[in-house]
Amino acid sequence: MNGFRQELRLAVRKLLARPGFSLFIVLTLAVGIGAATVVLSLANALFLHPVPFKDADRLVVVHTAAQRGEPGDREPVSYPDFQELARSEALVDTALFSDLWNLTLSGGDRPERVLVRFVSGRFFPLLGVGPRLGRGFLPEDDRAAGGPAIALISHALWKLRFASDPSLVGRTVLLDDRPFEVVGVMPEDLRDLAAGEATDVWLPVTVSSQVFTPAYLEKRDHRWLTALARLAPGTSLEQAGRQMAALSLRMTETWPETNEGLRMQLSPLAEYAFGYRDLNRTTLILTAGAAFVLLIGCVNVANLLLVRSLARSRETAILISLGASRERLVGRLLLESSLLALTGGILGALLSVWGTRVLLVLSPLPLPPFVEVRVDGWVLAAALVVSLVTGLLVGLFPAVRGLRAGVRHALQQSSRNSSASWGAARRLLITAEIASALVLLVGGGLLIRSFLELRGTGYGFRSDGLVIASLRMSSVKYPEPAALRAFYAPVLERVAAIPGVQSAHLWGPGRAGSSEFYREVFLEGRSREGDAERCRLFEHRVTAGTLQSLEIPVRRGRAIEPVDRADSPAAAVVSESAAKACWPGEDPLGKRFRRNETPEAPWFTVVGVAGDARHRGRDARAYTPRDVYYSLPQVPTSLVTLLVQTDQASGAISGPLRQAVLSLDPDLPLFDLTSMEQVMREEESESRFYALLMGTYAAVSLLLATSGLYSMLAYAVVQRTREIGIRMALGAQPGNVLRLVAGEVLALVAAGVAVGLVGAWLLTRTLSGLLYGVDATDMVTFLGTPLLLGGVAGLAAYFPTRKATRIDPLVAFRQE
């Protein structure tokens, strides 16, 4: 023990004797270990903590998927399909839940938008969750027709809206002007299954037919629900999947008009909760980037420790000649590297606490609400292990390499000639460092270019000065289309009268720039048979003048105008892509189609062709711009968005907008009030995050690689002082010396670039799904990045090379 303490004190003194050297190594390792610890924190939260629901490993989520679709493509199931699914022998318990819906909670001081999820009676029992107050939903609440109008309230809503009043249970609340009896309050620690906004209210699935229309429970092709189920004892996920395939086949044979080409698809609950497709990609990028930074840091430190061990070879040889064992000297060098790594690890752990917080603030990661990413005891222990392993790895090779030379050889060598200018080991290390840096530089360059490309992309319509706000009218107050139409004109008049408002329009059921409501239309004179004859269009219902206000160009014909009233012939404006898809090679003007096949469905006449716009987001590469615009009075909807052109900020106009709506309907709140500029920033958040992440990795790696190359060059010049002096004494000019040193630098950089380009090409396979407007093998990036790296390497080599050309031969000969 005393011997170890003595060795420890000696190691500390050695490190403190060169504080600059030691500090540089500590900071280098701290950056790499800190990045690795952030990734460990994320992995610990995602993969080492189970989903906090009862028997989560036996729970599966059931989706609908296209037979020829991508493996990860998932769509909801319909209520009739679920009833078939519930009879499967592979599943012993089944339940339903929907996505979140916006409903209005009225009564009290003000109307309020609440997020509602429809669930079946077995949903909470499957999760092993019970209410805090009152009761939950029961199986008898799942009556398909006329289900009870009951509700469960979240703890947050109970606390904020109802002041934690225990007497709320048994009372009635108004949701979309319908009375619902509150039968229970859910516990505070209840978390939703997947990422997104938190649920405020849960309603039975069966009341959806009253809140919306009977089609939500009756129509087999009305898919809006997700099924949750528990696997039967002894049934594996693969076995259940085969039973789902057989069930899908039977349903296709029985109901070909609604189920042809569709299959039931199972996935583990954890996969649904964590959204593994996005998380796996993000975690892979984080891990790969952190690994490269740590690798570059380790290579840098190994290089420096190798130089130091070679510089101390004479001292080491003397110690060996005096009787010191090689094992003890190796242990001493490993102790020094371990101390450096542990110090760097401690500093890296402190940096990771800050880095984890920054990651969560900047990251668009779709984390479930029950996941908490933090640097806990397990992560710190893992960071300590990483530090120790790093210290041993970076110290072992230099220690063994420095002791490999014989004692007589070391004693005969002067310090200035203790090694060749570029040993094979150091060439390999520097090449690896440059190659790793290039991989991250190419990845960062591609993602930065992608982000800039996205920022420079518009929607295809005027978005500056555009404020948007959504509202949803209940079917109780607005039961008929005529009631909806009666609301449209007055609300636009009052909004247009607000000072600073230049124009006001309505758009439904989504909004400009973000709408995924599509429908397969039926063309006059065409058979529905065959995919080639089908025409699926994304539909938008707008008021007169909307296209002109948004500056969506009308290429042919006309836009939706005031003449397109409810009692006028049904009109439609299609996008250029829709016209080419539905009527290839034909003039679309005057063509007719129906929105459904029922005989009473009206025929819509194409009156105009508009330019393509991006209504599924600017980076939505999976969607086609096949759009159709209807007159809102002719195709009314209860979910509409106000589009307001104004010279005011959204915050300044929010009050007058809300007041204008409330003056017409005191129970109708506005929600999602924002500006299109803010929407664009949110759309860019993922691209911005990845560009910032990889850009940071690339900058750090470039700094580490540059500093490593500089230190190696500086050492090499010092070691070659006598050789260079002899060359210059024999007549060599400074230019000759410059070419000698620069040539070696160029060879190292060229080797590193060649290896790095291969690694970068492999990396782009992973990044291709994140790129927008930039090819994964973009030549500008693949050519520009090596030039950047070469330029920086040249700057790193400049000062040591310049020093080499100024060596005085006389001074060189006087050196020992």
Side-chain angles (χ1 to χ4, degrees), residues 720-732 737 804 807-813:
R720 302 180 69 178
T721 298
R722 188 167 183 270
E723 174 198 345
I724 294 173
I726 293 174
R727 289 178 180 273
M728 297 185 71
L730 294 176
V737 176
I807 291 177
D808 187 340
L810 293 177
V811 174
F813 285 130

Side-chain angles (χ1 to χ4, degrees), residues 320-335:
I320 292 175
S321 67
L322 294 177
S325 68
R326 291 179 182 271
E327 292 77 11
R328 183 176 182 181
L329 293 176
V330 169
R332 183 176 296 174
L333 293 174
L334 289 178
L335 181 59

